[in-house]
């Protein structure tokens, strides 16, 4: 009798589980931060819509061109202190940390040099040498002052958070989804990818690291991930070719010129996308030897350095890491 009751109970439990609706896989895309943002999640579409609306809010805060944004107000304050959002302050503290650890290879005050280049691919024109040298004289993350919620940069200096902001925002969107009870999702912010959780069939999410030699979108490596951020910085997305040289959007803060070191891309896998983003740009500028030394020193962080000739070098923990 007792056994029959247990069997009945188990059958009822199974029936209940089968009846509980699993959240559907939904997807939503938008154009923010000059790139395509895609959110895929086992969650109602309304939650995805709210997450995408958050992207718009962050864009309004961090855009370089909107005259009400934090970045615009700092850049146009003529050396005065400007009160900004918690998001801007957090990003600037993390940017500062990576600037210090990379010996200045990562530097968000690179903006005056960025402004002299057109990497949209619409024209292949080199900037004026003297103008670039003048721009470089205003670069220096050491001159950013942060006091509580107030930021000051010297007259003539300018911030460009393009190398780190998308990573921060992706982390914030991931936190929002988690807060909403979503336990399985994949975010792709123009190459800044976050995978979270296991899919209902028990599998992890696949994250591809692109093979730049095959612009069709073929993948060089596919990672199975459930709790990681993957960010790639490369020469192939934004830039132009002139006389056999690739001029791209990752600049050496010491010269204002695109970094030419044979690398075609650097991918970083880390727990937080904001670090992966800043580090992918930093490591590209530093090159493999110094970049790897930095990565090996950071817990739960791996790197893939890919060269124009197709050679690839990974950090020592990459092969055995669980992503
Ligand atoms: P993407 O934005 O395409 O994902 P990155 O994260 O590598 O690529 O960021 C490149 C952007 O960062 C550039 O477009 C520019 O705005 C800015 N940037 C360029 N060089 C540097 C640098 N040395 N340090 C910090 N930011 C940089
Ligand atoms: Mg970056």
């Amino acid at each position: 009798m007792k056994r029959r009751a247990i069997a009945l109970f188990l059958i009822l439990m199974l029936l209940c589980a089968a009846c509980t609706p699993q959240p559907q896989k939904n997807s939503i895309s938008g154009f923010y931060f000059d790139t395509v943002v895609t959110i895929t999640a086992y969650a109602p579409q309304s939650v995805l819509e709210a997450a995408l609306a958050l992207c718009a809010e962050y864009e309004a805060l961090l855009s370089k061109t909107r005259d009400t944004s934090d970045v615009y107000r700092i850049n146009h304050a003529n050396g005065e202190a400007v009160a900004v959002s918690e998001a801007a302050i957090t990003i600037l503290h993390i940017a500062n940390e990576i600037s210090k650890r990379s010996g200045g290879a990562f530097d968000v005050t690179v903006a005056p040099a960025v402004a002299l280049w057109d990497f949209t691919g619409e024209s292949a024109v080199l900037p004026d040498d003297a103008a670039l040298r003048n721009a470089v004289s205003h670069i220096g993350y050491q001159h950013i002052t942060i006091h509580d919620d107030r930021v000051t940069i010297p007259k003539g200096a300018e911030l460009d958070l393009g190398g780190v902001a998308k990573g921060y925002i992706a982390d914030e969107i991931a936190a929002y989804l988690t807060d909403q009870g979503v336990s399985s999702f994949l975010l792709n912010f123009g190459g800044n990818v976050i995978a979270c959780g296991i899919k209902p069939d028990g599998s992890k999410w696949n994250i591809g690291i692109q093979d730049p030699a095959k612009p069709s979108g073929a993948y060089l490596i596919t990672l199975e991930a459930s709790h990681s951020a993957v960010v790639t910085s490369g020469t192939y997305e934004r830039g132009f070719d002139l006389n056999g040289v690739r001029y791209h959007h990752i600049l050496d803060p010491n010269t204002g010129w695109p970094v030419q070191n044979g690398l075609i891309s650097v991918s970083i896998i880390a727990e937080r996308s904001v670090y992966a983003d800043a580090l992918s740009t930093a490591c590209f500028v530093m090159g493999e030897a110094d970049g790897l030394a930095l990565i090996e020193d950071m817990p739960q962080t791996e790197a893939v350095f890919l060269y124009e000739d197709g050679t690839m070098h990974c950090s020592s923990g990459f092969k055995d890491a669980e992503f």
Side-chain angles (χ1 to χ4, degrees):
M1 187 60 203
K2 202 171 167 197
R3 237 192 267 158
R4 216 195 276 171
I6 291 172
L8 198 65
F9 177 72
L10 284 175
I11 288 167
L12 274 175
M13 290 281 287
L14 278 173
L15 276 175
C16 274
C19 296
T20 312
Q22 291 288 326
Q24 284 287 320
K25 180 171 156 181
N26 280 308
S27 194
I28 195 167
S29 289
F31 196 77
Y32 298 99
F33 333 113
D34 216 15
T35 194
V36 177
V37 165
T38 303
I39 303 173
T40 306
Y42 288 88
Q45 191 70 12
S46 57
V47 176
L48 274 61
E49 279 162 12
L52 204 62
L54 266 184
C55 292
E57 285 181 28
Y58 281 112
E59 179 159 54
L61 280 183
L62 303 168
S63 149
K64 210 168 93 176
T65 48
R66 283 215 207 156
D67 60 8
T68 50
S69 81
D70 288 348
V71 172
Y72 188 99
R73 291 186 302 112
I74 295 169
N75 287 349
H76 294 82
N78 279 317
E80 299 291 321
V82 179
V84 294
S85 63
E86 207 183 312
I89 296 291
T90 305
I91 292 172
L92 286 173
H93 278 303
I94 292 172
N96 241 332
E97 179 192 340
I98 300 303
S99 294
K100 280 187 203 139
R101 295 194 71 159
S102 68
F106 185 80
D107 192 324
V108 290
T109 65
V110 76
V114 174
L116 296 175
W117 290 92
D118 176 6
F119 294 124
T120 59
E122 279 162 22
S123 59
V125 184
L126 301 181
D128 175 68
D129 225 16
L132 201 53
R133 272 202 302 275
N134 178 51
V136 167
S137 73
H138 294 290
I139 298 177
Y141 71 90
Q142 304 90 335
H143 307 305
I144 304 173
T145 315
I146 308 173
H147 280 304
D148 302 324
D149 68 340
R150 299 173 82 77
V151 179
T152 318
I153 58 171
K155 243 183 181 170
E158 261 185 71
L159 303 182
D160 179 338
L161 303 183
V164 62
K166 268 187 298 193
Y168 172 84
I169 296 160
D171 284 335
E172 290 299 299
I173 302 302
Y176 172 78
L177 290 172
T178 305
D179 275 356
Q180 296 299 307
V182 183
S183 57
S184 180
F185 57 84
L186 185 76
L187 310 180
N188 190 345
F189 286 33
N192 288 42
V193 181
I194 294 181
C196 176
I198 302 289
K199 292 187 266 180
D201 68 1
S203 65
K204 293 184 176 185
W205 296 95
N206 287 329
I207 305 180
I209 295 180
Q210 210 177 313
D211 185 348
K214 297 193 184 107
S216 54
Y219 293 134
L220 191 74
I221 304 174
T222 304
L223 304 175
E224 290 188 352
S226 63
H227 59 270
S228 291
V230 183
V231 179
T232 300
S233 284
T235 64
Y236 48 91
E237 299 250 293
R238 281 165 217 262
F240 59 86
D241 295 293
L242 184 66
N243 301 326
V245 179
R246 179 77 184 155
Y247 295 93
H248 59 86
H249 70 152
I250 304 167
L251 305 183
D252 180 343
N254 289 315
T255 65
W257 284 84
V259 174
Q260 309 286 358
N261 56 10
L263 284 168
I264 197 162
S265 70
V266 178
S267 301
I268 305 289
I269 304 101
E271 280 187 325
R272 288 173 68 186
S273 177
V274 63
Y275 279 98
D277 195 359
L279 285 168
S280 66
T281 311
C283 285
F284 194 103
V285 179
M286 295 168 89
E288 186 186 331
D290 291 346
L292 266 184
L294 173 61
I295 294 303
E296 300 285 350
D297 212 28
M298 303 197 85
Q300 270 151 359
T301 307
E302 305 298 339
V304 180
F305 289 76
L306 188 65
Y307 287 87
E308 280 156 6
D309 66 6
T311 40
M312 183 175 85
H313 294 143
C314 302
S315 52
S316 60
F318 180 81
K319 204 166 63 61
D320 298 320
E322 284 273 334
F323 301 116

